[in-house]
Amino acid sequence: MAYTSFVAVGDSFTEGLNDPPVGTTGATQGQADRFRGWADRVAERLGQVQPGFRYANLAVRGKLLDQIVEHQVPLAVEMKPDLISFCAGGNDLLRPGSDPDRMAKKLAGAVRDLRSTGADVLLFTGVDPRDTPIMRRVRGKFATFYLHIRSISDLYGCRLVDQWSMQGLRDWRAWSDDRLHMNEHGHRMVAAKVLDVLGVPSEDSWRTVWPPRENVDARAKRREDAQWVREHLAPWIGRRLSGRSSGDGLDPKRPDLTPFVGDSSIL
């Protein structure tokens, strides 16, 4: 199918943290339009094969499932695109007391609304957190939610992007320093996986095989972990305790469904 329009819905993963565009070395928290990400990469490829292609990205970092369903899903429904991506719930699962069964019911209702427009809908499982020291403690909760997503995808005839099976994403070289968001390599892999699911050729492959890494000195690893706690984990916990979000005050980077070409050199 040649898609003529695409709307991306979600949180930081879909917004594109931390994948800066060509010609930049990064972006600050307030520069939401400075990130590319897998969704932009997919839109750029779809725009290459379909003249007049239109794209909107409504995702905002830090948003919870309920917020995405309340604020972004209705906008996507109104836009009536050919293709909608919907990935949400990761920020909820990181919070104590989150219920993957309740979350799945909320997500299913939103998927039903999105599919009622006639659009193809992309759903996502997350990456297996077993290699992440903190998140692996709640691996069962993540797995339960992702199994629900598989069931919802089957029930409503969605296209499923299974990141759990992407072994290349289990390597830290696919992730940025905060260990929560993918870097350029990770976003490229996800974009290639999405295009594969859509049946659109891509120059990239999601089946990345990383070269072996040199052994890391144990003391250096401890210093690296301590630095991560100071620079990333502690601020994240501080925001949770204060009720703040990294997305507070930020607007979507592409709020309107408008023509989009992008940088054809990236895929």
Side-chain angles (χ1 to χ4, degrees), residues 5 12 40 46 50 61 69-70 77 82 86 95 106 118 145 162 185 194 196 227 245 253 261 264:
S5 52
S12 58
D40 281 16
L46 296 178
Q50 182 60 44
R61 67 196 73 170
V69 171
E70 179 182 358
V77 169
D82 295 335
F86 180 29
R95 284 165 167 73
K106 189 78 172 186
F145 183 59
D162 181 14
H185 304 295
V194 171
D196 187 38
Q227 181 179 3
S245 167
K253 64 180 182 180
V261 177
S264 62

Side-chain angles (χ1 to χ4, degrees), residues 47-206:
Q48 292 174 19
V49 299
Q50 182 60 44
F53 178 80
R54 296 177 300 150
Y55 169 54
N57 190 318
L58 308 178
V60 177
R61 67 196 73 170
K63 295 305 179 184
L64 301 172
L65 174 60
D66 286 351
Q67 295 171 317
I68 293 168
V69 171
E70 179 182 358
H71 299 292
Q72 297 181 30
V73 169
L75 294 176
V77 169
E78 290 178 7
M79 291 177 181
K80 292 183 169 57
D82 295 335
L83 177 67
I84 302 171
S85 67
F86 180 29
C87 185
N91 291 316
D92 300 73
L93 292 170
L94 289 171
R95 284 165 167 73
S98 57
D99 181 352
D101 297 325
R102 187 207 68 81
M103 291 168 56
K105 290 181 180 179
K106 189 78 172 186
L107 186 139
V111 170
R112 183 173 59 248
D113 292 341
L114 294 173
R115 285 288 286 148
S116 70
T117 67
D120 276 0
V121 173
L122 281 165
L123 296 181
F124 297 74
T125 73
V127 179
D128 186 348
R130 66 180 177 179
D131 301 311
T132 307
I134 294 176
M135 289 192 289
R136 69 185 176 201
R137 298 178 183 177
V138 289
R139 188 185 183 208
K141 184 164 65 171
F142 278 83
T144 298
F145 183 59
Y146 297 150
L147 284 173
H148 278 306
I149 290 177
R150 284 182 168 276
S151 298
I152 293 167
S153 178
D154 287 343
L155 180 62
Y156 291 105
C158 301
R159 297 177 181 266
L160 182 67
V161 180
D162 181 14
Q163 296 182 91
W164 191 281
S165 66
M166 295 176 65
Q167 296 300 304
L169 292 180
R170 291 183 54 203
D171 193 293
W172 286 117
R173 284 170 284 188
W175 297 81
S176 57
D177 291 341
D178 66 9
R179 305 183 184 181
L180 290 173
H181 301 101
M182 297 175 188
N183 58 24
E184 174 189 349
H185 304 295
H187 280 286
R188 289 181 73 100
M189 278 189 279
V190 173
K193 177 69 170 181
V194 171
L195 290 169
D196 187 38
V197 169
L198 295 177
V200 178
S202 167
E203 294 181 2
D204 285 333
S205 173
W206 59 268

Side-chain angles (χ1 to χ4, degrees), residues 4 52-56 254 256-262:
T4 63
F53 178 80
R54 296 177 300 150
Y55 169 54
R254 291 188 60 85
D256 301 312
L257 189 59
T258 55
F260 183 75
V261 177

